[in-house]
């Protein structure tokens, strides 16, 4: 809750709205205690007194009633009616929507058609008709305003509920034997509640206006009772001769609606989970680069060269060092493996290359990424865009999240090509077909017309691989590309990648947690732990004689076929969280070779340059 408020008030406009609204609320709540004259006491001798006249700070109206007193009491009435109407509409409308969306089928149809009929009437006409039927009065105005706003909530909430009702967690609740009522209250309601809150916060202002409108027409509050609308209505006749009588309630309506809307927008932004982790802005097109030290200017090695790259996540006061002084390079036709447990910083390293780490909270705080000698960090966005997907392509880790759910596979693949090349639809489709064949998708012609949800996870992953290869990139960064594939397809994909690098000189950065895959494909391998490279060198050498205890343990985790009965050694403990790393070796707490000096200070990556290790007591000396 405090986190929510902090986020809310970081938005200056929302804070301003909240402050103004709080002032107004304090004023109307304390109204009975304030030394105000009776708002309904007439004094015809003092009609239309100007503001700041003695005894009447804001002047008087056409019956000589004190405007300040009427304003405070009128605001109190308008706010109460508007809020009550909003709450009533939200509760009733949301209940209708959630039931219709959850029930589906005929119930949904009947309820929603009734709601549609309600919506088919012009808004204000419907309110007028309801008041005409019930008779004028504030309570009836409240009922009318609430009733015309029910469809807004019902349709909104129904739409979201329909999407949720088919999800797996609802099925799971049903399988667990929960009744419909429980499912609605404990499974669906918490998921739609933020939307309801946002709906209320953005419509309260509107409902206050509507109530004021009805009162203005004489259908709401009845004389002598004041509300903002009736004050405006009564002042209408004297608009020219005594403008202050209209300006005072008009200004108050403006202040109320404005402050509620500003606050409502702020609440909506703060409740958006995508904005929670960072500031109140959406991720930028490239990762923010804020290098503290000088840019490394060593001559670039290979085609793609990461030099002392540092990427951090700045979340509130905490700094997560996800990538810490990582130097890697890969040349044409070469395959570099990056291996490490989950959370060791492999994906963030890969995403940093073309500035794909979400900012905020991601910041590149140091180093350089040279592609053909040129630094990609801080490069003008237009140039970087031309490189993304065309020269440096990605196979992303999560194949479900990277495909658009509403477009066919063929269209998405064609788009990937057409972003960078002027080719016709036919040609792009032909290329897509060829790629699907290359990644061994059966019946590629019909698969082109499939939506992502019609494919299995493994097939979607293969589509992701095909899209990455669509523009014949120079560098391919593959982030655990074969995790969802069975071993035979995995072997075929690895063979395809191997062929591409041998024939076309494709440079591959292959991220995985599987040493078996590394052994098959990679020339060199870098082992990451807690954001740092702890060992790197030629694959064969590292597999045969791992130097870092962590590497040795990782290799020991791989089962061997025909290797006889052998206990698979899991690594005890968990990888550390990267915001409070201990001094010295981050692996020391889990390492059985650790000695006191391991925890003392910075340990350098040292060795022959071909095979390096970051360890004071390695298993072997490289
Ligand atoms: P992996 O090696 O499994 O690919 P990642 O590169 O995805 O690991 O993550 C590296 C580290 O960065 C993890 O410790 C993770 O907690 C942290 N991290 C990733 N994204 C964020 C984020 N948005 N905010 C804070 N920390 C993050
Ligand atoms: Mg990852």
């Amino acid at each position: 809750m405090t986190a929510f408020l902090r986020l809310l008030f970081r938005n200056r406009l929302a804070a301003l709205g909240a402050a103004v609204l709080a002032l107004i609320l304090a004023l109307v709540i304390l109204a009975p205690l304030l030394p105000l004259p009776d708002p309904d006491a007439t004094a015809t001798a003092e009609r239309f007194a100007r503001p700041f006249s003695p005894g009447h700070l804001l002047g008087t109206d056409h019956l000589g009633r004190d405007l300040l007193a009427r304003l405070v009491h009128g605001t109190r009435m308008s706010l109460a009616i508007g809020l009550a109407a909003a709450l009533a509409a939200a509760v009733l409308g949301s209940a209708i929507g959630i039931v219709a969306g959850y029930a589906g089928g005929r119930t949904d149809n009947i309820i929603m058609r009734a709601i549609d009929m309600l919506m088919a009437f012009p808004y204000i006409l419907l309110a007028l008709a309801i008041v005409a039927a019930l008779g004028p009065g504030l309570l009836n105005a409240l009922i009318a305003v609430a009733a015309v706003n029910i469809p807004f909530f019902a349709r909104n909430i129904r739409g979201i509920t329909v999407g949720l009702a088919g999800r797996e967690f609802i099925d799971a609740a049903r399988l667990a034997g929960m009744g419909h009522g429980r499912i609605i209250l404990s499974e669906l309601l918490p998921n739609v509640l933020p939307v309801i809150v946002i709906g209320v916060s953005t419509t309260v202002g509107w409902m206050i206006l509507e109530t004021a409108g009805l009162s203005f027409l004489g259908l709401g509050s009845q004389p002598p009772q004041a509300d903002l609308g009736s004050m405006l209505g009564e002042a209408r006749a004297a608009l020219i001769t005594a403008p202050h009588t209209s300006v005072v309630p008009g200004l108050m309506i403006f202040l109320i609606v404005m402050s509620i809307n500003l606050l409502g927008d702020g609440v909506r932004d703060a409740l958006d989970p995508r904005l929670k982790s960072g500031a109140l802005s959406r991720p930028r097109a490239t990762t923010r680069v804020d290098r503290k030290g000088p840019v490394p200017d060593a001559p670039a090695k290979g085609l793609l060269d990461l030099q002392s790259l540092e990427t951090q996540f700045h979340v509130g006061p905490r700094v997560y060092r996800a990538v810490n002084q990582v130097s890697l390079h890969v040349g044409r036709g070469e395959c570099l493996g990056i291996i490490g447990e989950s959370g060791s910083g492999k994906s963030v390293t890969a995403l940093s290359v073309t500035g794909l780490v979400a900012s905020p909270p991601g910041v590149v705080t140091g180093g350089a990424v040279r592609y053909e000698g040129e630094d990609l960090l801080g490069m003008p966005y237009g140039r970087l865009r031309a490189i993304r997907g065309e020269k440096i392509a990605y196979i992303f880790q999560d194949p479900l999240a990277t495909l658009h759910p509403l477009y066919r596979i063929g269209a998405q693949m064609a788009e990937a090509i057409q972003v960078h090349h002027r080719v016709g639809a036919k040609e792009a489709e032909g290329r897509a077909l060829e790629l699907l064949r290359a990644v061994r998708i059966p019946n590629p012609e019909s698969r082109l017309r499939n939506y992502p949800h019609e494919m299995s996870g493994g097939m979607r992953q293969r589509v992701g691989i095909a899209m990455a290869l669509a523009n014949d990139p120079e560098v391919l960064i593959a982030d655990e590309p074969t995790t969802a594939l069975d071993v035979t397809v995995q072997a075929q994909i690895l063979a395809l990648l191997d062929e591409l690098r041998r024939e076309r000189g494709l440079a591959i950065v292959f991220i995985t947690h599987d040493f078996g895959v590394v052994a098959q494909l990679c020339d060199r391998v870098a082992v990451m732990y807690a954001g740092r490279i702890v060992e790197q060198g030629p694959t064969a050498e590292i597999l045969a004689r791992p130097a870092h205890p962590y590497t040795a343990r990782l290799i020991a985790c791989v089962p061997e076929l025909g290797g006889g009965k052998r206990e698979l050694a899991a690594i005890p403990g968990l990888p550390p969280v990267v915001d409070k790393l201990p001094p010295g070796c981050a692996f020391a707490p889990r390492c059985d070779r650790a000695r006191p000096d391991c925890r003392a200070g910075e340990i350098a990556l040292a060795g022959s340059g071909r095979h390096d290790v970051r360890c004071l007591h390695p298993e072997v000396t490289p």
Side-chain angles (χ1 to χ4, degrees):
M1 192 63 199
T2 45
F4 168 76
L5 288 180
R6 204 175 312 130
L7 200 59
L8 179 63
F9 291 132
R10 206 184 302 166
N11 180 341
R12 296 240 178 78
L13 286 175
L16 178 72
V20 173
L21 195 62
L23 254 172
I24 296 175
L25 280 178
L27 190 70
V28 300
I29 289 170
L30 297 178
L33 306 177
L34 298 178
L36 290 169
D38 179 356
D40 301 332
T42 56
T44 26
E46 292 183 55
R47 297 178 66 212
F48 293 128
R50 299 280 146 183
F52 306 112
S53 45
H56 302 292
L57 190 59
L58 292 180
T60 58
D61 69 357
H62 64 294
L63 294 177
R65 295 176 293 198
D66 183 62
L67 264 184
L68 180 62
R70 282 185 79 70
L71 180 75
V72 172
H73 284 97
T75 306
R76 185 180 160 95
M77 191 52 76
S78 286
L79 273 177
I81 299 290
L83 283 173
L87 280 182
V91 170
L92 284 173
S94 306
I96 293 173
I98 213 167
V99 167
Y102 175 70
R106 191 185 300 168
T107 318
D108 179 30
N109 236 326
I110 292 173
I111 295 180
M112 290 326 283
R113 293 305 80 76
I115 292 289
D116 285 347
M117 281 198 304
L118 209 54
M119 271 190 112
F121 284 99
Y123 218 58
I124 197 77
L125 219 60
L126 182 60
L128 285 177
I130 294 174
V131 175
L134 299 177
L138 262 181
L139 188 66
N140 294 343
L142 187 159
I143 294 172
V145 171
V148 298
N149 279 293
I150 283 177
F152 168 81
F153 284 96
R155 303 201 113 228
N156 251 346
I157 299 303
R158 178 207 168 251
I160 296 165
T161 310
V162 165
L164 291 170
R167 294 269 290 276
E168 289 81 354
F169 71 96
I170 300 292
D171 291 342
R174 248 186 232 129
L175 290 179
M178 278 195 202
H180 295 310
R182 276 259 331 257
I183 293 183
I184 288 183
L185 287 180
S186 69
E187 307 289 317
L188 285 171
L189 189 60
N191 279 296
V192 296
L193 204 55
V195 184
I196 300 177
V197 172
I198 290 166
V200 172
S201 68
T202 47
T203 50
V204 168
W206 179 231
M207 297 205 207
I208 290 175
L209 280 182
E210 281 169 11
T211 324
L214 288 178
S215 289
F216 180 84
L217 297 174
L219 299 170
S221 80
Q222 298 301 306
Q225 191 184 41
D227 86 336
L228 293 173
S230 62
M231 285 176 75
L232 265 182
E234 289 163 1
R236 184 171 37 170
L239 187 61
I240 307 295
T241 50
H244 67 278
T245 50
S246 328
V247 169
V248 166
L251 214 57
M252 182 54 97
I253 292 180
F254 171 80
L255 278 180
I256 292 176
V257 175
M258 198 69 191
S259 61
I260 289 181
N261 284 356
L262 287 177
L263 184 62
D265 282 353
V267 168
R268 185 197 54 212
D269 288 353
L271 281 179
D272 187 330
R274 276 170 306 176
L275 304 176
K276 258 185 200 160
S277 60
L280 280 167
S281 60
R282 280 163 213 290
R284 302 150 34 123
T286 69
T287 313
R288 190 158 72 85
V289 178
D290 181 14
R291 283 183 276 212
K292 301 288 179 236
V295 179
D297 54 1
K301 286 181 268 181
L303 185 59
L304 180 72
D305 190 10
L306 279 63
Q307 305 174 326
S308 313
L309 180 69
E310 265 185 42
T311 306
Q312 307 181 340
F313 292 100
H314 294 180
V315 184
R318 252 176 272 158
V319 174
Y320 294 87
R321 295 171 205 282
V323 178
N324 196 350
Q325 295 280 338
V326 166
S327 297
L328 293 169
H329 62 94
V330 61
R332 278 183 211 284
E334 200 181 17
C335 177
L336 169 74
I338 302 182
I339 193 163
E341 276 168 293
S342 204
S344 53
K346 308 180 299 290
S347 295
V348 177
T349 305
L351 293 173
S352 303
V353 169
T354 57
L356 289 176
V357 179
S359 248
V363 192
V364 174
T365 48
V369 176
R370 298 195 185 277
Y371 171 71
E372 292 192 313
E374 198 181 357
D375 192 6
L376 297 180
L377 301 178
M379 176 184 266
Y381 180 54
R383 280 188 49 71
L384 186 63
R385 232 180 63 184
I387 290 176
R388 283 180 179 174
E390 166 76 2
K391 302 285 184 202
I392 302 179
Y394 282 89
I395 301 171
F396 292 105
Q397 189 168 3
D398 186 353
L400 232 191
T402 41
L403 290 175
H404 196 300
L406 301 183
Y407 286 99
R408 296 174 199 277
I409 296 297
Q412 298 191 49
M413 297 190 63
E415 186 189 30
I417 300 168
Q418 285 167 328
V419 165
H420 291 288
H421 301 274
R422 293 177 149 273
V423 297
K426 264 254 129 14
E427 202 182 331
E429 192 182 305
R431 175 89 181 110
L433 206 57
E434 196 182 306
L435 286 162
L436 288 188
R437 273 202 199 98
V439 293
R440 313 287 192 270
I441 289 201
N443 302 327
E445 289 84 0
S446 65
R447 285 300 182 186
L448 277 183
R449 263 157 279 292
N450 274 169
Y451 289 98
H453 73 267
E454 295 172 305
M455 302 185 125
S456 70
M459 257 191 247
R460 280 194 295 254
Q461 195 152 35
R462 276 180 272 171
V463 170
I465 296 172
M467 278 170 85
L469 298 174
N471 294 311
D472 284 332
E474 304 291 321
V475 181
L476 178 69
I477 299 178
D479 195 347
E480 314 208 7
T482 55
T483 38
L485 304 181
D486 57 72
V487 275
T488 47
V489 176
Q490 168 171 321
Q492 287 169 346
I493 297 288
L494 294 184
L496 172 73
L497 293 181
D498 204 41
E499 188 183 305
L500 283 173
R501 82 185 169 112
R502 283 185 207 291
E503 286 179 3
R504 289 199 31 245
L506 177 69
I508 303 175
V509 178
F510 198 97
I511 297 173
T512 176
H513 51 248
D514 183 353
F515 251 115
V517 176
V518 168
Q520 263 183 58
L521 189 68
C522 300
D523 308 300
R524 284 184 298 115
V525 60
V527 184
M528 278 192 85
Y529 188 78
R532 317 198 75 158
I533 294 190
V534 295
E535 180 165 7
Q536 60 120 356
T539 309
E541 200 172 313
I542 288 190
L543 278 175
R545 287 188 299 123
H548 200 287
Y550 178 60
T551 318
R553 302 301 284 268
L554 275 184
I555 293 174
C557 291
V558 182
E560 253 174 273
L561 212 56
K565 234 188 200 174
R566 163 168 84 93
E567 191 127 333
L568 282 185
I571 308 178
L574 289 172
V577 184
V578 286
D579 66 332
K580 279 183 294 229
L581 286 178
C585 177
F587 186 62
R590 301 169 73 189
C591 181
D592 49 12
R593 298 172 70 86
R595 304 211 204 126
D597 56 344
C598 291
R599 301 167 207 265
E602 189 66 22
I603 299 166
L605 187 67
S608 59
R610 223 171 74 84
H611 183 179
D612 301 319
V613 63
R614 194 188 293 280
C615 183
L616 294 178
H617 310 288
E619 309 257 343
V620 295
T621 318

